[in-house]
């Protein structure tokens, strides 16, 4: 694989989003965005994951440079690598809220449409194209 610096930006962005493409990784980032740092034991408690699964997700987040880790004694602490990660999560939440509002408005608008008759057996067999 080519180093990030020689790859097109859209590929680098896509890989960043692949790193975010798991609900538990997003959850870990949300937890980390609420405090300066969090121990692995706290992350285990909050997420309910097994240690091996959390470790795999944290490795993906580290490889995508979204989090950093610091070992102190027998405990490892994680933090967001950049404050913009928290901003990204906030923007995503706002965007999802807007999408849901639009969808709800569209459903309400459709509720004023007249009822359609039930599909005939022939229409059901052809997916409504009879």
């Amino acid at each position: 694989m080519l180093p990030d610096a020689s790859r097109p930006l859209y590929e680098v962005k896509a890989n960043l989003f692949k790193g975010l493409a798991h609900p538990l990784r997003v959850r870990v980032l949300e937890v980390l965005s609420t405090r300066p740092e969090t121990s692995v034991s706290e992350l285990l408690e909050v997420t309910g994951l097994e240690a091996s699964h959390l470790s795999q997700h944290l490795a993906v987040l580290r490889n995508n440079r979204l989090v950093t880790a610091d070992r102190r004694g027998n405990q490892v602490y994680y933090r967001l690598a950049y404050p913009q990660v928290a901003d990204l999560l906030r923007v995503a939440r706002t965007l999802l809220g807007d999408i849901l509002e639009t969808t709800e408005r569209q459903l309400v608008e459709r509720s004023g449409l007249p009822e359609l008759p039930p599909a005939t057996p022939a229409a059901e067999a052809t997916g409504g194209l009879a």
Side-chain angles (χ1 to χ4, degrees), residues 86-124:
D87 296 339
L88 180 62
L89 294 171
R90 277 190 288 280
V91 168
R93 185 176 287 188
T94 300
L95 174 61
L96 289 171
D98 291 349
I99 290 169
L100 289 172
E101 285 178 16
T102 300
T103 302
E104 182 180 22
R105 187 179 68 249
Q106 290 170 340
L107 289 171
V108 168
E109 289 170 359
R110 282 188 175 188
S111 68
L113 294 175
E115 288 291 321
L116 296 175
T120 61
E124 287 176 358

Side-chain angles (χ1 to χ4, degrees), residues 16-91:
L16 171 69
F17 286 115
K18 286 179 189 177
L20 295 168
H22 194 285
L24 291 170
R25 289 195 288 271
V26 172
R27 178 68 181 127
V28 167
L29 291 173
E30 287 177 338
V31 170
L32 294 174
S33 72
T34 65
R35 50 191 96 167
E37 64 182 13
T38 306
S39 69
V40 170
S41 60
E42 290 173 299
L43 289 171
L44 286 168
E45 185 178 323
V46 170
T47 62
L49 287 171
E50 293 180 22
S52 61
H53 291 136
L54 178 61
S55 178
Q56 291 171 356
H57 288 299
L58 289 169
V60 171
L61 294 172
R62 276 192 319 272
N63 291 338
N64 283 281
R65 301 181 188 119
L66 295 169
V67 300
T68 60
D70 180 36
R71 178 176 288 282
R72 286 185 232 135
N74 63 352
Q75 214 28 284
V76 178
Y77 292 85
Y78 279 85
R79 70 190 62 71
L80 295 179
Y82 301 94
Q84 295 92 331
V85 175
D87 296 339
L88 180 62
L89 294 171
R90 277 190 288 280
V91 168

